[in-house]
Amino acid sequence: MMFTRKSEIYNYIKKYKNYDSDFWSSGHGNLEILAMLLEFTDSSWEALEKEIENWSSNEKEILANALCDDESWYYEKSIEINLHQRSHLFATIFATIETNLAYDLIDDFEFIFKGKPKEKILLEKVKTQIEKIKIHPANKYYSKERINTIEELLSKEIEACS
């Protein structure tokens, strides 16, 4: 069996994944991951996208939350430098993760529209996930108006790709 070196981001997430949400959202976990991502090259992004296919759903959700963190006050570099790559990876994770976890990411949904427009095929996968969210049992606790707004935004983006 061939040894595959996991990324520094994966190792960080693995080490701290069982910490409470305050660790991730209050100046620790997400900020550390975002700091690592700000150093990424195009080939680093490609490697990370392939690598996460083998991550657990929980690990992907942690990464997705870090991708859209906007604590720009923390960084010397502009967090806009790789906004498109972060947004693209967030969309990919959102589209492919289990529906109950995608549901947890819905508050940051508009992050999908940051950076350059996404490919039509990716947006269609995101739309499929939204359709699954609409029939998910937890949806009864979430604003139907919010889901409808998201669907409208997504339909406009897909139409713009045609």
Side-chain angles (χ1 to χ4, degrees), residues 47-100:
L48 180 60
E49 190 165 342
K50 287 180 184 143
E51 181 184 314
I52 68 169
E53 292 172 6
N54 299 312
W55 291 15
S56 73
S57 297
N58 180 265
E59 293 159 352
K60 290 178 189 177
E61 181 185 18
I62 289 170
L63 176 60
N65 283 311
L67 289 166
C68 58
D69 196 299
D70 64 358
E71 299 292 332
S72 56
W73 59 268
Y74 180 79
Y75 305 100
E76 291 177 19
K77 291 184 175 183
S78 168
I79 62 172
E80 302 291 315
I81 60 172
N82 57 19
L83 184 61
H84 173 70
Q85 291 94 331
R86 288 187 295 122
S87 173
H88 186 274
L89 189 55
F90 181 87
T92 301
I93 292 170
F94 184 89
T96 59
I97 203 166
E98 287 88 358
T99 302
N100 60 319

Side-chain angles (χ1 to χ4, degrees), residues 6 18 34 40 52 56 64 75 79-80 87 100 102 117 125-126 131 143 153:
K6 293 288 185 180
N18 293 322
L34 196 50
F40 269 34
I52 68 169
S56 73
Y75 305 100
I79 62 172
E80 302 291 315
S87 173
N100 60 319
K125 288 178 184 177
V126 169
E131 289 165 1
S143 164
L153 288 170

Side-chain angles (χ1 to χ4, degrees), residues 103-114:
Y103 188 87
D104 291 343
L105 298 173
I106 204 90
D107 286 338
D108 294 310
F109 184 82
E110 281 77 5
F111 189 71
I112 287 173
F113 303 120
K114 301 282 184 183

